[in-house]
Amino acid sequence: MQPINLSACLRQFSEHWSPRIIASLNDQEVKLAKFQGAFDWHAHDDEDELFLVVHGEFTMEFRDRSVVLREGELIVVPRGVEHRPVAEQECHVLLFEPAGIVNTGNAIESDKTNPATWLEGLAPPSAPS
Ligand code: NI
């Protein structure tokens, strides 16, 4: 059990829309992602998703409105709700959601479909031996 420094984790990767897992618990995962530009419209039939802005800001577009999220703010997108994150400038986001979720949801696979991978040097919790 060691502290996980978000800034240090964010320095380890640069790809956009390519989430990295930094912690897991109870079948949920904590991830970091870098947003830039517009993602694909999508929904997740069975998963709610939490987005917390670590640096920068982005807009979460819904079909009927848009919500601007600034540093230190979070939003939970309920399952089944179509959404599209858009970041005019690079934005760093912490996600909390069930393990195995597909970032592009039920959408057809696209160039933005990226399975989350563990950030190098981090691993799932293990029971004491
Ligand atoms: Ni989503």
PDB file of all heavy atoms in Angstrom, residues 42 44 49 83 103, ligand 1:
ATOM      1  N   HIS A  42     -21.618   7.994 -27.258  1.00  0.00           N
ATOM      2  CA  HIS A  42     -21.808   6.607 -26.847  1.00  0.00           C
ATOM      3  C   HIS A  42     -22.608   6.557 -25.554  1.00  0.00           C
ATOM      4  O   HIS A  42     -22.824   7.581 -24.904  1.00  0.00           O
ATOM      5  CB  HIS A  42     -20.451   5.909 -26.643  1.00  0.00           C
ATOM      6  CG  HIS A  42     -19.696   6.440 -25.471  1.00  0.00           C
ATOM      7  ND1 HIS A  42     -19.005   7.621 -25.502  1.00  0.00           N
ATOM      8  CD2 HIS A  42     -19.560   5.966 -24.209  1.00  0.00           C
ATOM      9  CE1 HIS A  42     -18.453   7.848 -24.322  1.00  0.00           C
ATOM     10  NE2 HIS A  42     -18.792   6.854 -23.502  1.00  0.00           N
ATOM     11  N   HIS A  44     -23.348   3.527 -22.106  1.00  0.00           N
ATOM     12  CA  HIS A  44     -23.013   2.234 -21.510  1.00  0.00           C
ATOM     13  C   HIS A  44     -24.301   1.664 -20.925  1.00  0.00           C
ATOM     14  O   HIS A  44     -24.885   2.270 -20.032  1.00  0.00           O
ATOM     15  CB  HIS A  44     -21.963   2.398 -20.405  1.00  0.00           C
ATOM     16  CG  HIS A  44     -20.773   3.217 -20.829  1.00  0.00           C
ATOM     17  ND1 HIS A  44     -19.671   2.665 -21.418  1.00  0.00           N
ATOM     18  CD2 HIS A  44     -20.538   4.551 -20.785  1.00  0.00           C
ATOM     19  CE1 HIS A  44     -18.800   3.623 -21.703  1.00  0.00           C
ATOM     20  NE2 HIS A  44     -19.307   4.775 -21.331  1.00  0.00           N
ATOM     21  N   GLU A  49     -20.697   5.973 -14.890  1.00  0.00           N
ATOM     22  CA  GLU A  49     -19.300   6.407 -14.999  1.00  0.00           C
ATOM     23  C   GLU A  49     -19.086   7.704 -14.234  1.00  0.00           C
ATOM     24  O   GLU A  49     -19.850   8.654 -14.396  1.00  0.00           O
ATOM     25  CB  GLU A  49     -18.966   6.741 -16.463  1.00  0.00           C
ATOM     26  CG  GLU A  49     -18.703   5.604 -17.382  1.00  0.00           C
ATOM     27  CD  GLU A  49     -18.057   6.114 -18.670  1.00  0.00           C
ATOM     28  OE1 GLU A  49     -18.727   6.830 -19.431  1.00  0.00           O
ATOM     29  OE2 GLU A  49     -16.880   5.788 -18.884  1.00  0.00           O
ATOM     30  N   HIS A  83     -23.563  10.226 -24.093  1.00  0.00           N
ATOM     31  CA  HIS A  83     -22.675  11.326 -23.705  1.00  0.00           C
ATOM     32  C   HIS A  83     -21.480  11.390 -24.639  1.00  0.00           C
ATOM     33  O   HIS A  83     -21.151  10.419 -25.313  1.00  0.00           O
ATOM     34  CB  HIS A  83     -22.232  11.184 -22.246  1.00  0.00           C
ATOM     35  CG  HIS A  83     -21.563   9.878 -21.926  1.00  0.00           C
ATOM     36  ND1 HIS A  83     -22.244   8.702 -21.788  1.00  0.00           N
ATOM     37  CD2 HIS A  83     -20.253   9.578 -21.721  1.00  0.00           C
ATOM     38  CE1 HIS A  83     -21.392   7.730 -21.498  1.00  0.00           C
ATOM     39  NE2 HIS A  83     -20.173   8.229 -21.462  1.00  0.00           N
ATOM     40  N   ASN A 103     -14.473   1.970 -23.335  1.00  0.00           N
ATOM     41  CA  ASN A 103     -14.567   3.432 -23.263  1.00  0.00           C
ATOM     42  C   ASN A 103     -15.529   4.016 -24.290  1.00  0.00           C
ATOM     43  O   ASN A 103     -16.137   5.054 -24.046  1.00  0.00           O
ATOM     44  CB  ASN A 103     -13.176   4.087 -23.364  1.00  0.00           C
ATOM     45  CG  ASN A 103     -12.475   3.879 -24.687  1.00  0.00           C
ATOM     46  OD1 ASN A 103     -12.730   2.930 -25.427  1.00  0.00           O
ATOM     47  ND2 ASN A 103     -11.551   4.767 -24.991  1.00  0.00           N
TER      48      ASN A 103
HETATM   49 NI    NI B   1     -18.646   6.796 -21.434  1.00  0.00          NI
END
